[in-house]
Amino acid sequence: MSIFPEEPLDSPLGYFPGRLNRTLNNGRWTILRKLGWGSRSSCWLAVDPKDPEGIEAIKIYTVAASEEPRSTNERDILQKMGDLRGLSDVPIQMGSFYEESGSGRHLCLVLHCLGPSIVSLLENDSPQGKYLPLHAVKQVVAEVAGSLCALHENGIIHGAVTPQNILLPSLQQGHAIQEFLSQNPSIPGEDVTDSEGKTYHITRSQPLNTFHLTRESTATDFASVGFYLSNFSHARIQSENVPLDPSSTFLPPEASIEGAKIDTKADIWMLGCTIYTLVIGRPPFDDSPGPLTREKVEEVTANIKTAISATKAMSPQDAKKTTSVIKVCMKFNPAERPSADHLLGFRWVREGSMCSCGWCLAKA
């Protein structure tokens, strides 16, 4: 049994050994809180000691990930996106630097604060299963499709459109964050010792507020917040035709074909898989080893409506419409999938971008 409740600090990957009040970048930042962690990085809330209003999130890659091209690729693509218009629902990068630790050298990205992923809304499971209400899914899809539209117009493939990479909003202003922290203090770290007598300092994750949004929140509640497409370490410039990260179970069939051209339709496939996961409660191909054949894809898509109906989470009419959207996104042939711009024109998707009163939808 691991002694680490979160990231394994003894891993050869070299996670950053963060702790509260530790300074970064030669004193430029002081850690206030741990926000979260993943397979390649951890994320920390930090303040500028000279400016209490200057509070940002710092994504710190593992030593191993810092040495990979895709980490600097995220930095470069985020920098490029900062110069583009129409990209309001993606992370904003404020800068980057390298930090040394006993594990090695870490690439650090300074980002505006965001909340946890929408998966956090499913942590309190119910007997019916882990799925979101339809009104929430539609809003997620509408906002992600809008972000993809802007990315694709600028030749950028996101490459990792999954529920884990769709984040809730968070507090942005320094004084608001400070007030939240005063009412919700950061948990102090603790030292643990392994079987060989080596001591590690562990800090538990505490995301910032999610504006009290839960799985049971109404359409009005969801309409009052936005969602952000994050994690651009998998992003690609389309003209470079670089293979996608093979670790995701959401990758399209063409990703496993050597020499196949990967374009923006890969993101549409993954968005289809995301819709499937959010309305049914499980990924479509989680238990399907090996490359995705046409037969595998057709077998799954043929049973989408049945799987949706089994959750009893929506009416038969809504299940039919939702099935149609998923199916068109998960076409085996990329050329048959809609573009992000085309997808935004679907009434099912437009319903997610309408205000909760329904008046503007009726006029659409």
Side-chain angles (χ1 to χ4, degrees), residues 5-8 15 34-43 203 205:
E6 298 188 359
E7 70 268 42
Y15 279 95
K34 182 181 177 185
L35 298 175
W37 71 283
S39 61
R40 304 176 67 250
S41 64
S42 54
C43 191
T203 308
S205 298

Side-chain angles (χ1 to χ4, degrees), residues 262-273:
I262 304 298
D263 60 20
T264 54
K265 296 298 183 68
D267 284 339
I268 302 302
W269 167 277
M270 287 184 273
L271 182 56
C273 291

Side-chain angles (χ1 to χ4, degrees), residues 109 131 198 288 346:
L109 306 183
Y131 50 80
K198 186 173 181 179
S288 299
F346 287 23

Side-chain angles (χ1 to χ4, degrees), residues 273-296:
C273 291
T274 293
I275 302 171
Y276 183 107
T277 303
L278 294 180
V279 298
I280 295 175
R282 65 178 186 276
F285 302 101
D286 204 26
D287 299 321
S288 299
L292 290 179
T293 63
R294 185 180 293 273
E295 290 72 26
K296 282 184 181 179

Side-chain angles (χ1 to χ4, degrees), residues 18-343:
R19 64 171 65 213
L20 303 188
N21 297 316
R22 174 169 177 167
T23 60
L24 304 171
N25 196 19
N26 297 317
R28 173 69 174 79
W29 300 100
T30 299
I31 292 177
L32 297 176
R33 193 183 192 90
K34 182 181 177 185
L35 298 175
W37 71 283
S39 61
R40 304 176 67 250
S41 64
S42 54
C43 191
W44 305 80
L45 187 71
V47 63
D48 179 349
K50 298 179 180 179
D51 178 14
E53 283 289 308
I55 302 179
E56 306 291 357
I58 300 183
K59 180 176 182 177
I60 306 181
Y61 283 98
T62 63
V63 173
S66 298
E67 297 172 351
E68 297 175 1
R70 58 178 168 165
S71 298
T72 53
N73 179 66
E74 177 172 29
R75 177 194 63 194
D76 297 342
I77 285 182
L78 285 175
Q79 183 173 337
K80 177 180 179 179
M81 292 192 306
D83 299 330
L84 302 175
R85 295 181 179 179
L87 286 172
S88 60
D89 297 331
V90 297
I92 299 175
Q93 180 176 258
M94 308 299 292
S96 65
F97 59 91
Y98 281 92
E99 185 74 19
E100 296 285 343
S101 77
S103 302
R105 189 168 181 250
H106 306 264
L107 173 64
C108 306
L109 306 183
V110 182
L111 308 166
H112 271 342
C113 297
L114 291 175
S117 78
I118 56 172
V119 176
S120 65
L121 299 181
L122 305 177
E123 289 177 350
N124 295 324
D125 198 6
S126 72
Q128 291 77 26
K130 290 188 174 183
Y131 50 80
L132 284 181
L134 184 58
H135 59 81
V137 176
K138 287 182 178 180
Q139 183 177 338
V140 167
V141 174
E143 295 187 13
V144 170
S147 296
L148 290 178
C149 187
L151 290 172
H152 295 171
E153 287 177 354
N154 290 281
I156 299 172
I157 303 170
H158 182 272
V161 183
T162 69
Q164 291 76 10
N165 291 331
I166 300 171
L167 304 187
L168 292 160
S170 181
L171 299 169
Q172 295 287 332
Q173 302 299 319
H175 66 276
I177 296 175
Q178 292 282 19
E179 182 178 353
F180 176 82
L181 293 179
S182 68
Q183 298 173 1
N184 303 272
S186 300
I187 300 173
E190 58 182 302
D191 292 334
V192 297
T193 304
D194 65 15
S195 59
E196 298 179 356
K198 186 173 181 179
T199 300
Y200 299 87
H201 187 80
I202 61 173
T203 308
R204 296 177 185 270
S205 298
Q206 293 176 272
L208 294 182
N209 73 315
T210 59
F211 298 95
H212 306 293
L213 203 64
T214 69
R215 174 182 174 176
E216 289 73 31
S217 296
T218 66
T220 300
D221 293 332
F222 272 95
S224 66
V225 303
F227 297 95
Y228 293 80
L229 185 59
S230 71
N231 192 359
F232 283 77
S233 61
H234 306 274
R236 302 287 184 267
I237 302 299
Q238 183 174 347
S239 59
E240 296 175 356
N241 198 28
V242 180
L244 297 176
D245 184 352
S247 64
S248 174
T249 58
F250 280 39
L251 290 184
E254 62 268 21
S256 62
I257 302 174
E258 186 174 354
K261 180 176 175 57
I262 304 298
D263 60 20
T264 54
K265 296 298 183 68
D267 284 339
I268 302 302
W269 167 277
M270 287 184 273
L271 182 56
C273 291
T274 293
I275 302 171
Y276 183 107
T277 303
L278 294 180
V279 298
I280 295 175
R282 65 178 186 276
F285 302 101
D286 204 26
D287 299 321
S288 299
L292 290 179
T293 63
R294 185 180 293 273
E295 290 72 26
K296 282 184 181 179
V297 172
E298 291 178 350
E299 179 183 357
V300 168
T301 55
N303 291 292
I304 292 175
K305 186 176 179 182
T306 300
I308 292 176
S309 299
T311 68
K312 299 180 180 180
M314 64 182 78
S315 68
Q317 184 178 16
D318 282 334
K320 181 179 179 180
K321 294 177 181 178
T322 303
T323 297
S324 297
V325 174
I326 297 174
K327 279 187 173 182
V328 75
C329 290
M330 291 176 58
K331 288 286 187 181
F332 186 84
N333 183 351
E336 296 178 1
R337 300 170 204 154
S339 65
D341 184 54
H342 185 193
L343 192 62

